[in-house]
Amino acid sequence: MSAPERIPPRSVTTAELLTLGELTVRGQIRDASNAVLYCSVTHDGQEALCVYKPVRGERPLWDFPDGTLAQREVAAYEVSEATGWDLVPPTVLRDGPYGEGMVQLWIEGAPGAELLALVDGEEPEPGWKAIAFAEVGEGRTALLVHADDERLRRLAVLDAVINNADRKGGHLLPAGDRLYGIDHGVTFNVDNKLRTLLWGWAGEPLTGEAVDVLKALREALGAEGALAARLAVLITPAELDATRARVDELLATGKHPEPSGEWPAIPWPPV
């Protein structure tokens, strides 16, 4: 009798691992404004590191409904996935040791990848885009710049769609040739809250790639669209309509948005 054929173990997807795996808290990230727990997650023989943000650890905000930041983080991931740019680490909503919260794959940022800098002079060097002048002490100012990097430009488009009110330098994670954005709890507000360090392309024409992505998003956000169905359980109907309106506005103008003047344009602290 021949030996039975060995069936190789089924590969667990990242979404399954994050959703179904057993969460073990290993520590807490202390410099975060809300509860952020560093965890491992194991399922079916596979393990990964992740971040767990329980809803009960969210600090109330005056301009966002209480207990909704975790859902907004997942909604940002869903929009990122719909763009095809893969700019947000895999993120799910699930129960954990401290109740419902968002769980996101841990990304170890690559050291030495310069995306932001303070420079002397009135204009940025080639390969950099100006953000604003910043005080650096003793009455001296320097020009804050970010890299003229297509990955950052894609992230700037994503932030405009999700209305990101907190795109700081510390929320940018280069990983090899990839770039991830994290911390998307304050997004999808119905009011224009865009606050970011990525203003270098403000007023410039969108790339052809971005226009194509926005057209696909508009279709996916339609009444019968798959993305609309996924977002409908994460954000309010008014917030979903506002997202559609932002996509329409970007396509109508064909340009990266500019600061509105009605809201601080740059987050504080910027890093």
Side-chain angles (χ1 to χ4, degrees):
M1 178 182 295
S2 61
E5 181 182 356
R6 287 184 64 108
I7 300 176
R10 184 179 68 88
S11 177
V12 176
T13 67
T14 302
E16 288 175 328
L17 180 59
L18 295 176
T19 304
L20 303 175
E22 180 180 356
L23 280 175
T24 301
V25 177
R26 296 181 176 271
Q28 182 175 1
I29 299 174
R30 294 288 184 179
D31 58 355
S33 56
N34 299 300
V36 181
L37 303 177
Y38 178 64
C39 300
S40 62
V41 59
T42 57
H43 178 64
D44 203 13
Q46 297 196 38
E47 182 177 10
L49 297 174
C50 61
V51 168
Y52 165 46
K53 298 182 181 180
V55 170
R56 69 172 65 173
E58 294 178 3
R59 177 173 55 90
L61 299 173
W62 68 269
D63 52 349
F64 285 84
D66 292 350
T68 66
L69 305 191
Q71 291 93 324
R72 295 171 194 277
E73 295 244 29
V74 178
Y77 168 70
E78 294 289 356
V79 175
S80 168
E81 284 296 279
T83 66
W85 285 335
D86 197 18
L87 295 169
V88 179
T91 312
V92 302
L93 191 69
R94 58 162 289 178
D95 282 332
Y98 298 101
E100 186 179 62
M102 85 86 171
V103 174
Q104 184 176 83
L105 186 69
W106 176 267
I107 300 296
E108 195 68 48
E114 288 194 23
L115 297 174
L116 300 166
L118 283 168
V119 299
D120 294 322
E122 300 290 321
E123 298 291 335
E125 295 291 330
W128 294 88
K129 305 290 284 188
I131 304 170
F133 287 98
E135 294 186 8
V136 293
E138 300 180 355
R140 179 172 163 266
T141 60
L143 183 63
L144 180 62
V145 297
H146 66 67
D148 188 2
D149 185 311
E150 68 174 7
R151 300 170 302 172
L152 286 179
R153 191 165 191 172
R154 290 170 175 171
L155 195 57
V157 174
L158 176 67
D159 284 344
V161 171
I162 66 176
N163 198 15
N164 192 352
D166 196 31
R167 175 61 71 206
K168 297 176 179 176
H171 299 168
L172 305 172
L173 295 181
D177 61 351
R178 302 286 299 279
L179 175 70
Y180 293 98
I182 60 171
D183 285 347
H184 297 107
V186 285
T187 49
F188 295 99
N189 201 297
V190 295
D191 297 324
N192 182 3
K193 299 278 189 179
L194 186 59
R195 195 165 58 157
T196 176
L197 287 179
L198 304 181
W199 287 116
W201 298 281
E204 293 187 14
L206 296 166
T207 65
E209 176 194 47
V211 170
D212 289 342
V213 165
L214 289 167
K215 288 179 179 177
L217 278 183
R218 180 164 60 186
E219 182 175 353
L221 288 166
E224 304 299 323
L227 178 59
R230 291 194 293 271
L231 294 183
V233 298
L234 298 167
I235 59 177
T236 68
E239 290 166 343
L240 181 53
D241 285 341
T243 304
R244 295 183 177 113
R246 288 190 294 272
V247 172
D248 288 342
E249 178 69 12
L250 287 166
L251 286 169
T253 64
K255 296 180 180 181
H256 287 269
E258 299 180 79
S260 68
E262 302 173 356
W263 178 257
I266 296 176
W268 188 261
V271 177

